Amino acid sequence: MTTSATDRVVIFDTTLRDGEQSPGASMTLEEKLQVAEILDTMGVNIIEAGFPIASNGDFEAVSEIARRSKNAVIAGLARAIPADIDRAGEAVGFARRGRIHTFVSTSPIHLEHQMNKSQEDVLEIVRKTVTQARNLIDDVEWSAMDATRTPIEYLYRCVEAAIEAGATTINLPDTVGYAVPHEYKAMFENIRNNVPNADKAVFSVHCHNDLGLAVANSLAGVDGGARQIECTVNGLGERAGNAALEEVVMAIRTRSDVLPYTCEVDPKYMTRASKLVSAVSSFPVQYNKAIVGKNAFAHESGIHQDGMLKNAETYEIMRPEDVGVRATSLVMGKHSGRHAFKDKLTELGYELGDNAFQEAFRRFKELADRKKNVYDEDIQALVEDEITVQGETVKVIALTVIAGTGGPQKAILTMDVNGRHETREANGDGPVDATFNAIKAIWPHDATLQLYQVHAVTEGTDAQAEVSVRLEDGNKIATGKGADTDTLVASARAYVSALNRLQLRRQRQVNVEDVLAS
């Protein structure tokens, strides 16, 4: 099948902006740079690096990503407010190719209850702010927030005004995940057929997954004439998340018979990107997640296994190696050396610096002494845990827990606090409670535990436990992960990781009002 330039679909990744807005998914500057680098390497066309006005940290991240980008356009988000647009323009100005992405609500429910503006007021805002952005940079994207609940006739006027003012990309998002595919497709067809200057802009889809339709709606929008898909790695995003990058890309590649489009993302980086985003955001990927889930290319049913042995195409519509997954697992053990361990990390999609590699190798050898067989999943959990603790100022050093039916549970914990070792004892209603109380004795805080979740990484009584903890402190939420063959050690690491993230958010969060006042 031959395709033309009009069949090219641009991939706009917003993991670092919309994805990071997930409660508890805040990333450090170094983590954002790692994610941006792999997105750039895999061929993502536009990377929305953040919301520069939101905080000094966000501005710094967008600016640094802009400086380092080799191929991708770097976008910064801005509300339809002059100060936002100036700040975004300043941040993306460091890129070889930058974009200002500005947005304003257009639906009646938003205009009445959130903005207290009339339709004419918003039209004037669109004209002024898009003009302002275009005077700063040639590449301007305008979004009609809550487009799918906006009267179509009014949407015509807004889109026409935005293009007339200089917008080069028009995004019509399903902000609340309300649309179904046939009506989302029809919206784009109606806009393109009824807005006089529609041919002067690229149309974009941005779909949320509240009804589980984000990917289906995104592809329907492309079928309706859109040529940009806004998405995130692992579908990370607010509420139920966004359209998953890996799903839209592989749908286009796998079903070219009914989706006659091209995109430039190299899928062999998808598994690596998925693992990295999961590690830095502390959001685990569900086992049955399409494309990048642990079970996406696993077969247990006897019928399936029989078919796979005869011909892989009987039950797999994609090759695992196409998305960076090896078809088989190689078991490693205590006799494996540094070279073999490094090769295994490369196969699994990890690239660690020298210090991180040495620490990961040390923990691998300790794990191999405790486990007969060390599987790929064990190494992934170990490395992701190591990535999580990089840059944390407080770490778990040693833990002893006394538990049983005959007496109070007690934890004796040693932690490294900014280079100083501190030890405390604490009792609790069970060993986990005692461990968390010991952490609180060393690191006093007011955070409350919202989620405590444990799952075994592999089978067997010697399996590593991977623990997820979510803490809430006021209006801030942070999630931490920890892995160890000892569930209590993994629990302590996860809890401390979440506390580190809360502290980081307190340090880096600067209110918009503070930025405007500075």
Side-chain angles (χ1 to χ4, degrees):
M1 176 181 295
T2 59
T3 56
S4 67
T6 58
D7 297 316
R8 174 177 176 260
V9 173
V10 171
I11 300 299
F12 176 115
D13 183 276
T14 184
T15 304
L16 297 173
R17 198 279 301 170
D18 208 338
E20 203 207 13
Q21 289 179 197
S22 302
S26 182
M27 306 175 198
T28 66
L29 173 60
E30 184 57 38
E31 289 168 343
K32 288 184 176 183
L33 293 175
Q34 291 177 40
V35 173
E37 181 179 10
I38 196 167
L39 293 175
D40 199 21
T41 300
M42 71 193 293
V44 167
N45 303 99
I46 300 112
I47 299 172
E48 188 164 56
F51 197 171
I53 196 71
S55 71
N56 288 332
D58 246 32
F59 177 84
E60 181 184 3
V62 176
S63 300
E64 190 59 30
I65 291 168
R67 289 186 180 95
R68 297 189 184 195
S69 173
K70 297 176 181 176
N71 303 301
V73 173
I74 303 303
L77 188 69
R79 296 167 300 177
I81 297 173
D84 278 42
I85 293 169
D86 284 340
R87 191 71 164 162
E90 183 181 355
V92 302
F94 295 101
R96 293 189 309 110
R97 294 183 296 161
R99 172 182 292 189
I100 295 174
H101 178 194
T102 184
F103 69 95
V104 68
S105 293
T106 55
S107 69
I109 193 169
H110 279 212
L111 266 59
E112 179 181 354
H113 298 288
Q114 187 172 11
M115 297 185 66
N116 194 27
K117 300 283 187 184
S118 69
Q119 289 187 346
E120 294 304 319
D121 290 337
V122 170
L123 272 172
E124 186 58 26
I125 290 171
V126 171
R127 295 186 185 99
K128 287 183 176 180
T129 54
V130 172
T131 298
Q132 177 192 356
R134 187 58 189 266
N135 286 336
L136 295 174
I137 201 164
D138 289 338
D139 191 347
V140 175
E141 177 172 339
W142 176 78
S143 289
M145 188 156 70
D146 207 18
T148 52
R149 295 192 295 176
T150 300
I152 193 68
E153 295 291 341
Y154 180 58
L155 200 54
Y156 294 162
R157 297 176 65 198
C158 290
V159 170
E160 183 177 1
I163 297 173
E164 189 175 280
T168 50
T169 299
I170 298 295
N171 180 38
L172 303 177
D174 186 24
T175 304
V176 294
Y178 181 73
V180 295
H182 74 270
E183 63 185 12
Y184 198 53
K185 173 185 176 180
M187 181 183 70
F188 282 94
E189 289 176 332
N190 287 332
I191 293 286
R192 294 175 65 243
N193 289 333
N194 291 281
V195 174
N197 52 4
D199 60 328
K200 297 180 181 178
V202 173
F203 283 85
S204 177
V205 299
H206 180 117
C207 299
H208 282 261
N209 207 37
D210 298 71
L211 294 177
L213 296 171
V215 171
N217 281 333
S218 296
L219 296 173
V222 171
D223 204 26
R227 286 298 179 266
Q228 176 177 286
I229 298 178
E230 303 192 5
C231 47
T232 61
V233 175
N234 297 336
L236 190 66
E238 291 189 273
R239 305 185 313 280
N242 290 45
L245 179 149
E246 59 276 3
E247 294 178 25
V248 296
V249 169
M250 291 310 295
I252 290 172
R253 289 177 61 92
T254 305
R255 292 306 310 273
S256 59
D257 55 328
V258 292
L259 298 170
Y261 315 113
T262 62
C263 73
E264 296 161 358
V265 172
D266 186 342
K268 72 173 179 286
Y269 293 96
M270 285 179 178
T271 297
R272 186 188 303 180
S274 170
K275 291 172 182 172
L276 175 61
V277 169
S278 177
V280 301
S281 67
S282 294
F283 271 51
V285 177
Q286 67 192 63
Y287 279 14
N288 62 335
K289 168 75 173 65
I291 315 300
V292 294
K294 177 182 175 181
N295 290 348
F297 296 97
H299 305 271
E300 185 171 344
S301 160
I303 294 174
H304 284 219
Q305 289 177 348
D306 178 68
M308 287 295 297
L309 289 170
K310 293 173 179 175
N311 187 322
E313 291 184 5
T314 54
Y315 288 101
E316 286 186 351
I317 60 172
M318 296 166 284
R319 298 187 308 166
E321 55 266 33
D322 288 344
V323 297
V325 176
R326 292 193 318 109
T328 57
S329 289
L330 175 65
V331 177
M332 296 187 67
K334 63 182 180 180
H335 299 297
S336 301
R338 281 181 171 79
H339 184 76
F341 183 64
K342 194 156 195 170
D343 283 349
K344 170 58 68 177
L345 293 183
T346 300
E347 289 177 4
L348 294 176
Y350 295 105
E351 295 179 4
L352 302 182
D354 288 341
N355 292 339
F357 171 78
Q358 295 300 335
E359 181 61 21
F361 182 70
R362 181 190 67 77
R363 291 183 60 188
F364 160 71
K365 296 295 277 188
E366 289 180 354
L367 179 63
D369 282 336
R370 286 179 281 167
K371 288 196 67 177
K372 183 177 180 180
N373 294 319
V374 180
Y375 297 94
D376 288 1
E377 292 84 359
D378 290 310
I379 295 174
Q380 290 166 1
L382 182 152
V383 174
E384 288 170 11
D385 187 45
E386 187 59 36
I387 291 172
T388 298
V389 301
Q390 293 298 308
E392 293 184 349
T393 58
V394 182
K395 301 177 182 179
V396 174
I397 301 299
L399 174 66
T400 300
V401 178
I402 301 171
T405 60
Q409 285 73 38
K410 181 169 71 173
I412 306 167
L413 175 69
T414 300
M415 297 205 307
D416 183 320
V417 182
N418 296 316
R420 183 182 71 257
H421 284 199
E422 294 193 19
T423 302
R424 296 286 191 281
E425 294 184 11
N427 294 330
D429 184 15
V432 174
D433 188 49
T435 300
F436 290 176
N437 286 340
I439 293 172
K440 194 167 185 178
I442 295 174
W443 191 350
H445 60 271
D446 297 321
T448 57
L449 182 65
Q450 299 295 317
L451 171 72
Y452 174 74
Q453 183 173 289
V454 183
H455 79 267
V457 174
T458 56
E459 297 178 351
T461 56
D462 63 351
Q464 281 195 100
E466 190 170 71
V467 177
S468 296
V469 165
R470 184 183 301 150
L471 298 178
E472 183 174 1
D473 186 3
N475 64 346
K476 300 179 183 68
I477 298 174
T479 305
K481 290 204 309 184
D484 197 90
T485 52
D486 187 319
T487 303
L488 296 174
V489 173
S491 300
R493 285 177 173 159
Y495 196 94
V496 170
S497 177
L499 284 174
N500 272 291
R501 288 174 177 272
L502 278 176
Q503 176 175 272
L504 183 66
R505 293 195 71 182
R506 281 193 293 269
Q507 291 173 343
R508 297 184 63 223
Q509 185 171 359
V510 178
N511 291 335
V512 172
E513 291 80 6
D514 294 336
V515 174
L516 293 174
S518 63

